[in-house]
């Protein structure tokens, strides 16, 4: 009996040891399975991120290719030199008639330069937001804040203003998400003493928040954003805007950093009259220079800016105010307008141009400003509807020639001095219809039949 009891005890101990070994082995296999699953998940995430990076890189390369192609388009420029306060170097404001792109800027104490020439100053009301640019599916809003600073080596104290927020709103264009928007904001108050910030650009891609510091890239549908040390460039298939942060030099009161914003079209974009609007955006789809009120800075003393781009913009500045940074509706909004085709616009398509808003001491430019600017400069400030452009100098307005290419030579009639390629210049043939066939002579290679 004692032998049998010991034998049963040994069997029980062996069974217990076997169960323990099986349990340990099962735990090991379970841990191995969990580890393999974790490795698979991490690998999948890495591959997805790499795929996203490749897609983003491909999109950036595509957009850069379009921009480079635009830069290679032959251009003719009218160069108007001017100086900025505190700088000895000269810059050139380019007003292009044949360029394949348009640019607008808003730099320092806001001074606007428009897409097809002309300039105006804009103070804005303290803390309010204005629509800078409005186009189908793309808008830019800016915020202005009052600031006091010195110019002319401290001899002049200026009560002026600066742009402190730039809001970009665009349709993402993602399939199955019609009406989805991306909203990106560049904040001047996020810039530090080194003129950069880890959250200088924030926003929402649909409902997903994002935060960008320097040297980052981000893509949301049609919008690609690239940041550098103190700037950000937002690009869509049609528009590119660059926002640059900078210090408020010789600062006395108000914000310590300011924002400069520029805007250009991508590629050889043609715009229908009235397709774009906004304080500066309206100049992209209207021809001719838009000159407005400008502030005349004295050499010393104290000066308060007051110009609100009167004479260069349609209506008044109050009509461009928006309630929030992501708002796209105002009196002249084009955000939800359809992109017109040539036929829908009656064939009246305009070549893209160039515009900017820069800070410069008016007294240093050699160009008259203020209430007497029209008389002293010899350049009247005309309403937007009064401008006529004739890029090929044939005496026929571009609005009448439109974007048609009568001789299929790759140049629209508005840029072709011999639209029908019959060897007789358009300036000589004119718009008459000699053979009464419904085709004006400048487009009719056999105008006497």
């Amino acid at each position: 009996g004692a032998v049998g009891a010991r034998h049963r005890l040994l069997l029980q101990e062996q069974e217990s040891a076997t169960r323990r070994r099986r349990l340990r082995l099962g735990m090991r296999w379970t841990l191995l399975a969990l580890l393999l699953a974790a490795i698979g998940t991490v690998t999948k995430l890495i591959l997805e991120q790499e795929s996203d990076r490749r897609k983003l890189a491909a999109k950036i390369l595509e957009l850069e290719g379009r921009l480079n192609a635009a830069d290679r388009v032959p251009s003719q420029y009218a160069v108007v030199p001017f100086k900025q306060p505190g700088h000895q170097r000269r810059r050139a404001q380019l007003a292009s008639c044949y360029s394949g792109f348009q640019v607008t800027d808003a730099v320092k104490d806001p001074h606007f330069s428009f897409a097809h020439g002309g300039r105006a100053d804009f103070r804005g009301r303290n803390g309010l937001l204005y629509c800078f640019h409005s186009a189908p599916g793309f808008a830019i809003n800016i915020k202005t804040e009052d600031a006091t600073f010195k110019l002319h080596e401290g001899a002049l104290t200026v009560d002026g203003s600066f742009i402190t927020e730039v809001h970009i709103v665009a349709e993402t264009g993602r399939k199955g998400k019609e009406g989805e928007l991306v909203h990106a904001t560049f904040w001047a108050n996020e810039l530090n003493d080194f003129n950069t910030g880890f959250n200088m650009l924030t926003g929402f891609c649909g409902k997903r928040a994002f935060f960008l510091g320097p040297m980052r890239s981000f893509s949301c549908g049609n919008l690609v954003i690239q940041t550098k040390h103190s700037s950000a460039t937002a690009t869509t298939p049609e528009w590119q805007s660059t926002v640059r942060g900078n210090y408020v030099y010789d600062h006395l009161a108000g914000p310590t950093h300011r924002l400069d914003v520029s805007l250009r079209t991508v590629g050889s974009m043609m715009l229908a009259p009235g397709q774009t609007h906004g304080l500066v955006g309206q100049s992209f789809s209207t021809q001719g220079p838009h000159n407005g009120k400008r502030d005349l800075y004295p050499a010393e003393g104290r000066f308060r800016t007051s110009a609100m781009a009167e004479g260069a913009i349609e209506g008044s500045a109050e009509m461009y105010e928006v309630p929030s940074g992501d708002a796209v509706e105002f009196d002249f909004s084009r955000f939800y307008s359809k992109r017109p085709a040539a036929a829908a616009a009656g064939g009246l398509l305009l070549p893209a141009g160039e515009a900017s808003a820069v800070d410069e001491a008016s007294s240093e430019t050699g160009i008259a400003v203020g209430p007497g600017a029209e008389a002293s400069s010899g350049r009247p400030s005309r309403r937007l509807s009064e401008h006529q452009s004739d890029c090929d100098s044939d005496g026929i307005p571009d609005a009448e020639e439109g974007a048609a290419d009568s001789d299929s030579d790759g140049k629209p009639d508005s840029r072709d001095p011999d639209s029908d390629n019959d060897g007789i210049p358009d300036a000589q043939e004119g718009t008459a219809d000699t053979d009464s066939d419904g085709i004006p002579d400048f487009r009719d290679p056999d105008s006497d039949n």
Side-chain angles (χ1 to χ4, degrees):
V3 174
R6 285 196 297 272
H7 181 69
R8 286 193 296 272
L9 182 60
L10 288 173
L11 290 176
Q12 290 175 356
E13 290 178 352
Q14 289 176 356
E15 291 176 355
S16 178
T18 301
R19 284 196 297 268
R20 287 196 296 271
R21 284 196 299 270
R22 289 176 179 175
L23 180 61
R24 286 195 296 269
L25 185 60
M27 292 178 63
R28 289 174 182 173
W29 280 110
T30 302
L31 291 174
L32 181 59
L34 292 174
L35 180 60
L36 290 174
I39 293 174
T41 302
V42 172
T43 303
K44 182 179 179 181
L45 290 175
I46 292 174
L47 291 176
E48 289 178 350
Q49 291 178 355
E50 182 65 23
S51 176
D52 291 342
R53 281 195 292 267
R54 289 179 179 178
K55 291 179 181 178
L56 177 60
K59 185 176 291 187
I60 292 172
L61 288 174
E62 177 187 355
L63 293 173
E64 286 180 346
R66 296 180 64 181
L67 290 173
N68 291 335
D71 291 340
R72 288 193 294 269
V73 175
S75 303
Q76 295 182 358
Y77 294 99
V79 181
V80 183
F82 60 86
K83 291 183 179 180
Q84 294 185 353
H87 295 266
Q88 298 301 320
R89 64 185 179 87
R90 298 181 68 85
R91 296 179 62 190
Q93 177 191 1
L94 302 179
S96 169
C97 188
Y98 290 89
S99 172
F101 56 88
Q102 306 178 333
V103 177
T104 65
D105 293 309
V107 184
K108 299 184 181 178
D109 191 22
H111 302 262
F112 294 160
S113 294
F114 297 97
H116 296 286
R119 296 170 7 185
D121 292 346
F122 185 80
R123 177 184 177 87
R125 295 169 61 191
N126 185 43
L128 293 188
L129 290 150
Y130 297 87
C131 182
F132 183 80
H133 176 70
S134 179
F138 186 79
I140 299 177
N141 298 324
I142 60 173
K143 181 180 181 179
T144 59
E145 292 187 50
D146 291 350
T148 303
F149 53 95
K150 287 186 175 293
L151 287 178
H152 304 163
E153 298 181 350
L156 175 65
T157 299
V158 179
D159 295 310
S161 63
F162 293 101
I163 296 173
T164 56
E165 295 177 15
V166 176
H167 301 262
I168 297 174
V169 185
E171 293 179 339
T172 63
R174 297 196 286 192
K175 292 182 179 180
K177 296 187 178 182
E178 289 76 9
E180 183 185 51
L181 301 179
V182 53
H183 174 209
T185 303
F186 199 113
W187 309 88
N189 61 9
E190 288 289 336
L191 299 175
N192 54 31
D193 292 341
F194 300 98
N195 199 38
T196 191
F198 291 106
N199 290 321
M200 61 185 184
L201 193 146
T202 65
F204 285 88
C205 176
K207 296 182 179 180
R208 179 166 60 96
F210 61 89
F211 305 84
L212 299 179
M215 314 310 294
R216 296 288 304 277
S217 295
F218 179 79
S219 175
C220 178
N222 288 330
L223 184 70
V224 176
I225 300 175
Q226 292 180 287
T227 63
K228 294 185 179 180
H229 177 77
S230 56
S231 67
T233 298
T235 307
T236 72
E238 296 177 334
W239 301 95
Q240 183 180 79
S241 177
T242 298
V243 183
R244 298 178 178 84
N246 209 337
Y247 304 99
V248 175
Y249 295 101
D250 296 322
H251 165 269
L252 295 177
T256 58
H257 287 81
R258 60 176 175 79
L259 301 179
D260 306 338
V261 55
S262 64
L263 178 65
R264 61 181 284 175
T265 56
V266 175
S268 301
M269 186 178 180
M270 301 292 286
L271 298 169
Q275 183 177 339
T276 60
H277 219 289
L279 289 170
V280 171
Q282 60 191 280
S283 66
F284 282 93
S285 55
T286 54
Q287 288 283 23
H290 308 314
N291 291 297
K293 183 179 178 181
R294 298 176 61 194
D295 293 305
L296 179 61
Y297 290 77
E300 58 185 9
R302 189 163 191 136
F303 176 74
R304 178 180 174 85
T305 62
S306 61
M308 297 285 276
E310 296 94 334
I313 60 174
E314 184 175 359
S316 60
E318 291 79 5
M319 303 172 76
Y320 297 82
E321 294 177 6
V322 291
S324 62
D326 59 353
V328 296
E329 295 286 359
F330 68 107
D331 286 359
F332 307 108
S333 177
R334 300 291 191 268
F335 191 85
Y336 291 113
S337 300
K338 293 183 179 180
R339 294 169 175 79
L348 303 180
L349 294 181
L350 307 174
E354 185 176 358
S356 64
V358 299
D359 178 24
E360 56 199 70
S362 302
S363 59
E364 296 179 354
T365 64
I367 301 176
V369 295
E374 178 175 333
S376 59
S377 67
R379 295 197 301 263
S381 177
R382 296 177 288 175
R383 301 304 303 171
L384 301 181
S385 60
E386 297 177 326
H387 300 296
Q388 293 287 339
S389 176
D390 183 12
C391 276
D392 54 4
S393 302
D394 60 1
I396 306 173
D398 294 341
E400 183 173 347
E401 291 184 290
D405 183 8
S406 299
D407 55 3
S408 302
D409 62 352
K411 293 188 294 184
D413 293 352
S414 59
R415 303 181 186 183
D416 192 343
D418 185 10
S419 299
D420 53 7
N421 198 28
D422 62 355
I424 306 174
D426 294 350
Q428 182 176 340
E429 292 184 291
T431 58
D433 183 9
T434 303
D435 55 3
S436 301
D437 61 355
I439 304 174
D441 291 353
F442 76 92
R443 285 180 176 159
D444 191 347
D446 188 13
S447 56
D448 58 357
N449 182 18

